[in-house]
Amino acid sequence: MDRNTELSEFLRSRRARLSPGDAGVSVSNDSPRRVPGLRREELAQLAGVSTDYYTRLEQGRHLNVSETVLDAVARALQLNETERAYLFELTRPRPRRTVRRRPPRPQRVRPGVHALLRMLDGVSPAFVLGRRGDVLASNQLARALIIDFEALPYHERNMARFMFLDEAARSLWPEWETVAAEMVASLRLEAGRHPDDPRLTELVGELTIKSPEFRTWWADHNVREKTHGVKLYHHPVVGDMTLAYENVTVPGDPDQALCIYTVEPGSPSEAALRLLASWTATSSADPSAPSSEARPSGGPSSDVSP
């Protein structure tokens, strides 16, 4: 990802979504507006900088900008905390490379985290997400809920790839468009943090070509930090469930997140999750038991990101 181009497109997209009324800018009905949202001169005035200065910044031609100016621009654009951090990341100076950059080292899940996943099995679906949304490890209940990532080829063990390229995902998440759009925003944030990751570039390229929805949402330049929330699931065996999730950064590796699902005690979702755990245990113990084609049961989790 070219940082100058991304900075330019990100600022333009944030300016376009901000109406004069939302920004408190008075407009004249005699002056037709040819652009959505605020004009550059209006945004510059709100940020307290010259129009020429802001224009250069929006064109990606002025990356040596002070934090004071960035703060002013972020306030004028009404950025949230994630968007503000993303803006600062895009404008942060990068050291010049004198040698060819090595690809990121494979991520490994510590034995202690694997043990934690096993402890949660039968109680809570849990898995570890790495860079690019790679699924690094998972417990049996998570594999029964979503898909057996360990049974897939290494390069397919990715949550975004499953979400956009596997038809089963659209029926698994009743609110697929919301969940998928959030995934794109999470990947966009990842791209800002790791602009030189070749595998991330490859993944974005593949999804852009194969999925029109991904292509549209990627062009929106939304960014989102996924820390917690609620997702609706429609499982082919146990039916509908409402699951809350918490993403916890794994100590020692800020690029790994342990995702744990929970249900409200006494709810129909808790009963459905218990049924899924029982069905999973039965299927695992009895190889002749009928299995769900959409949710195969897998073997031990891999601890290496491809």
Side-chain angles (χ1 to χ4, degrees):
M1 183 183 70
D2 181 78
R3 283 157 49 85
N4 289 13
T5 301
E6 174 58 18
L7 173 63
S8 175
E9 294 178 353
F10 177 69
L11 288 175
R12 276 203 294 265
S13 69
R14 301 308 91 177
R15 179 168 58 86
R17 75 176 182 180
L18 192 61
S19 70
D22 292 336
V25 175
S26 59
V27 297
S28 172
N29 294 331
D30 298 332
S31 177
R33 304 185 69 83
R34 300 179 180 178
V35 295
L38 291 180
R39 295 168 174 163
R40 282 176 176 170
E41 58 268 25
E42 293 168 340
L43 196 285
Q45 184 176 7
L46 288 173
V49 297
S50 69
T51 301
D52 180 65
Y53 186 94
Y54 177 76
T55 298
R56 295 199 308 272
L57 178 62
E58 192 175 280
Q59 291 176 345
R61 296 190 290 119
H62 193 87
L63 294 185
N64 294 322
V65 57
S66 69
E67 291 190 3
T68 301
V69 170
L70 287 179
D71 272 327
V73 170
R75 286 195 301 270
L77 290 171
Q78 299 182 17
L79 303 185
N80 60 35
E81 285 301 314
T82 302
E83 292 170 330
R84 180 184 178 279
Y86 186 68
L87 174 63
F88 273 70
E89 186 70 40
L90 290 176
T91 56
R92 180 177 300 168
R94 297 275 178 171
R96 291 185 177 182
R97 284 178 281 173
T98 56
V99 296
R100 185 176 181 180
R101 186 183 181 91
R102 295 181 178 179
R105 298 178 63 183
Q107 291 180 283
R108 298 182 182 275
V109 177
R110 296 199 311 272
V113 179
H114 277 294
L116 180 58
L117 291 175
R118 290 192 296 270
M119 288 178 60
L120 291 170
D121 222 346
V123 179
S124 297
F127 51 91
V128 178
L129 286 177
R131 292 187 297 265
R132 305 170 292 271
D134 290 339
V135 180
L136 305 179
S138 59
N139 65 11
Q140 192 174 34
L141 192 53
R143 298 194 291 273
L145 173 65
I146 306 174
I147 193 171
D148 186 359
F149 286 99
E150 278 70 25
L152 300 175
Y154 278 111
H155 75 282
E156 295 183 12
R157 300 180 188 182
N158 179 275
M159 192 64 74
R161 201 176 188 281
F162 166 69
M163 191 170 292
F164 283 96
L165 302 184
D166 193 320
E167 285 298 321
R170 295 178 184 263
S171 58
L172 179 63
W173 288 289
E175 297 178 338
W176 179 85
E177 288 192 354
T178 298
V179 175
E182 290 176 352
M183 174 60 71
V184 177
S186 179
L187 275 182
R188 174 66 77 173
L189 184 65
E190 180 88 356
R193 292 171 174 169
H194 305 286
D196 299 321
D197 185 344
R199 289 202 55 236
L200 178 57
T201 301
E202 179 183 351
L203 174 65
V204 171
E206 179 184 17
L207 296 180
T208 298
I209 293 172
K210 295 182 178 180
S211 170
E213 294 97 339
F214 182 91
R215 185 163 57 249
T216 298
W217 292 327
W218 185 259
D220 289 339
H221 294 272
N222 292 326
V223 292
R224 186 175 188 269
E225 185 86 63
K226 296 179 66 175
T227 56
H228 64 279
V230 176
K231 288 182 180 178
L232 303 181
Y233 279 84
H234 177 76
H235 193 274
V237 175
V238 301
D240 295 334
M241 288 182 285
T242 300
L243 303 178
Y245 69 88
E246 296 286 339
N247 284 345
V248 182
T249 300
V250 175
D253 190 339
D255 289 333
Q256 287 189 32
L258 174 63
C259 182
I260 304 173
Y261 283 105
T262 60
V263 291
E264 183 179 349
S267 67
S269 295
E270 182 185 42
L273 187 61
R274 286 181 176 176
L275 179 60
L276 179 62
S278 176
W279 172 82
T280 303
T282 301
S283 299
S284 177
D286 182 8
S288 64
S291 61
S292 168
E293 293 182 1
R295 304 288 176 269
S297 177
S301 299
S302 168
D303 64 350
V304 180
S305 172

